[in-house]
Amino acid sequence: MFYAADLKPAEQVTYGSQGILIPLEKYIDEGYAPNIKKILDENPDVRKSFTTPDGHMYALPFIDKAAVWYRGPMWYNGEFLKALNVEEPKTTEELYTYLKRVKEEDPNGNGQQDEIPLTSVKLDDLRMFFFGFWGMYNEGIYSDKDGKVHYPYQEEGYKGYLTFMNRLWKEDLLDHETFSQTGDQKKAKGESNKLALFNDYHPYFTLGGEPSTDHPLMTPVKSDVADSPVYGKHPGMSARGTFAITSSNPSPEATMRWIDYLYSDEGATLFNQGPEGVLWKFKDKENHVKEWLPVPGGGDREEYRGKITPNFGILTPGINDPDVAKGLRTEFDEWIDQQNQEKLVPIGKAPFPNVYLTNEEQSEATALLSDLDTYVKQMEAKFVTGQEPLENWDKYIAQMKKMGSDRIIELYQGAYDRWNSGQ
């Protein structure tokens, strides 16, 4: 079997059609996986999103009933906001003004102009969040509210994003080490209190210290694009195949029963928080309410958890249900929920379902995207740093179309329409 795998849709289709992976729906529907069956019956979109064009399910997702983020969002350094007596920016213009003040007004109070208003690692960490300022739901293929498929890198919204980022670069408001630094180098800047706006899973991962409610989640800002900002919300399940059974497995029924346990409350708790009596105990077993126990030998709770559970830093099969963590949530967890509900959920939409292309379509799309993605990344860096003037936008678009960007939209529109009609 594959456990905590990352089987892309194309791999599921290829290995499934070749008979390397076995279909799972038979075992689910024949009673070997009651927990998974219940989830699929209650969430038909999940079943639809993991059924390949030949009608089979070859892999299982991680299902997250609480997820809002695809990846870590953007955070403000709360101390800088206070020092400059600024409310969170609501528009791109207000954001620009704030970043300029950070550069010029010494919010860390050390008498030096060493603040870095905005930092990134190759823009990969901020791109998806920032795209929403220009009405784009995803840094890859996405669909709008009318069911129309988009490839963002040839749209006017993307030009708006590039223009803004180039403006920040020219005025030294975007870190000039953005395209050369590592994540660790970025974090070192945060720990020395130089960063105003940055990406991470939680703000203290970059700034250091303990979990704190002092550093607010960034509210996506509005640009001149109608209906902005938007936010590409997590669809509540992983688009990856985290689990699959191969045709060489002698006991698929037993394997299916085993994996099904991880989709139950008891199994999810064991694989997320370890066995009862080590890091936690029941406060009220009947209602699944738990409480933390002291960390054995002291030390960091997450570090210890990482030594006794597989669900640490990798995407595993199973389920994340808020009910499973009843009683274990901290004040910081509740604050994160409140920030999400206030700032992201109202403007959020799952950008694109887990659609499948046929083998022929997938081969074509993979070849086209391989070249397109390389070209897009190169040109993004050139446009942002000014190596390529934005006056050459039309030339860039012509090259994109020549490389097959319209065909990509066509292929994924077809797959999306099939998904929508349940075929």
Side-chain angles (χ1 to χ4, degrees):
M1 65 180 182
F2 286 103
Y3 176 85
D6 181 9
L7 292 164
K8 303 285 190 294
E11 293 169 323
Q12 294 168 41
V13 170
T14 302
Y15 301 138
S17 62
Q18 289 172 356
I20 295 166
L21 301 179
I22 65 168
L24 304 179
E25 71 279 355
K26 167 187 161 195
Y27 301 100
I28 294 169
D29 294 332
E30 285 180 5
Y32 295 104
N35 293 302
I36 295 169
K37 181 161 172 37
K38 183 172 183 283
I39 292 165
L40 296 180
D41 288 349
E42 288 172 358
N43 302 276
D45 274 5
V46 175
R47 185 184 281 265
K48 205 160 69 164
S49 294
F50 280 82
T51 300
T52 59
D54 64 4
H56 294 303
M57 286 180 77
Y58 294 109
L60 294 176
F62 172 77
I63 294 166
D64 195 333
K65 292 187 174 180
V68 174
W69 310 336
Y70 262 113
R71 60 177 64 176
M74 302 296 295
W75 304 92
Y76 286 111
N77 183 329
E79 291 174 22
F80 286 17
L81 288 171
K82 275 190 193 136
L84 298 175
N85 194 24
V86 168
E87 297 231 333
E88 277 195 56
K90 296 286 189 292
T91 65
T92 48
E93 208 48 47
E94 286 176 16
L95 177 61
Y96 163 77
T97 302
Y98 171 64
L99 296 176
K100 199 161 173 58
R101 287 190 63 194
V102 167
K103 178 86 184 144
E104 294 169 355
E105 296 181 30
D106 189 29
N108 68 11
N110 67 356
Q112 299 171 42
Q113 211 180 67
D114 60 353
E115 289 83 356
I116 298 166
L118 172 65
T119 195
S120 172
V121 177
K122 298 185 176 63
L123 303 179
D124 290 342
D125 46 5
L126 64 72
R127 190 182 295 108
M128 184 165 171
F129 204 88
F130 271 45
F131 269 20
F133 308 168
W134 284 271
M136 298 176 291
Y137 278 100
N138 194 11
E139 57 182 315
I141 304 291
Y142 72 92
S143 58
D144 61 25
K145 57 183 184 296
D146 301 318
K148 186 182 171 199
V149 170
H150 298 259
Y151 182 58
Y153 300 103
Q154 60 181 37
E155 307 208 332
E156 280 302 308
Y158 182 58
K159 186 181 181 185
Y161 156 83
L162 291 173
T163 304
F164 185 72
M165 299 307 282
N166 173 247
R167 182 186 185 191
L168 299 186
W169 180 274
K170 278 194 298 203
E171 300 194 31
D172 209 11
L173 305 181
L174 171 61
D175 191 347
H176 276 206
E177 292 182 352
T178 281
F179 294 101
S180 58
Q181 71 180 338
T182 64
D184 286 341
Q185 287 169 319
K186 180 185 92 168
K187 288 184 185 196
K189 294 171 182 176
E191 286 168 3
S192 55
N193 202 28
K194 291 180 179 174
L195 301 182
L197 180 60
F198 55 90
N199 162 284
D200 211 326
Y201 199 74
H202 290 317
Y204 67 95
F205 288 4
T206 288
L207 298 176
E210 295 300 310
S212 151
T213 60
D214 295 336
H215 307 292
L217 176 70
M218 182 190 195
T219 304
V221 297
K222 180 173 175 51
S223 68
D224 51 5
V225 170
D227 298 327
S228 69
V230 297
Y231 176 71
K233 186 173 173 285
H234 197 290
M237 63 181 173
S238 153
R240 302 172 186 161
T242 59
F243 179 84
I245 300 176
T246 76
S247 53
S248 62
N249 187 315
S251 308
E253 297 86 355
T255 306
M256 205 70 212
R257 282 197 297 268
W258 177 78
I259 198 64
D260 185 62
Y261 175 65
L262 308 194
Y263 289 84
S264 69
D265 282 359
E266 191 181 298
T269 301
L270 174 64
F271 271 59
N272 279 305
Q273 284 134 8
E276 184 183 354
V278 180
L279 286 173
W280 62 276
K281 67 176 185 180
F282 276 113
K283 195 175 181 180
D284 173 0
K285 193 161 188 172
E286 200 181 329
N287 293 304
H288 302 285
V289 181
K290 308 174 184 83
E291 62 183 331
W292 290 119
L293 293 169
V295 178
D300 183 77
R301 183 174 297 280
E302 275 296 280
E303 216 169 276
Y304 193 90
R305 186 178 79 80
K307 292 172 184 172
I308 62 168
T309 68
N311 291 13
F312 188 78
I314 55 171
L315 210 52
T316 55
I319 187 163
N320 174 34
D321 189 330
D323 284 351
V324 170
K326 235 189 270 180
L328 300 180
R329 291 172 63 74
T330 63
E331 186 189 326
F332 181 72
D333 294 329
E334 300 295 344
W335 176 75
I336 292 280
D337 280 356
Q338 172 261 319
Q339 291 278 294
N340 281 333
Q341 291 303 320
E342 189 184 300
K343 298 175 175 180
L344 301 183
V345 172
I347 57 168
K349 171 187 178 294
F352 207 59
N354 188 44
V355 303
Y356 290 92
L357 301 175
T358 64
N359 272 335
E360 296 74 26
E361 289 171 339
Q362 189 63 64
S363 299
E364 186 183 356
T366 301
L368 290 173
L369 284 171
S370 172
D371 291 341
L372 279 166
D373 289 348
T374 304
Y375 178 66
V376 161
K377 287 283 173 70
Q378 287 171 348
M379 292 304 292
E380 179 185 51
K382 287 180 179 179
F383 280 133
V384 168
T385 58
Q387 273 181 273
E388 184 81 26
L390 275 153
E391 288 76 27
N392 290 345
W393 173 256
D394 289 345
K395 192 173 135 194
Y396 159 78
I397 290 295
Q399 179 62 21
M400 289 283 283
K401 290 183 182 295
K402 198 170 154 190
M403 293 173 76
S405 56
D406 287 344
R407 177 60 179 153
I408 285 294
I409 293 169
E410 205 177 291
L411 287 168
Y412 280 93
Q413 185 72 59
Y416 181 68
D417 292 344
R418 286 197 299 267
W419 181 88
N420 247 338
S421 64
Q423 291 170 358

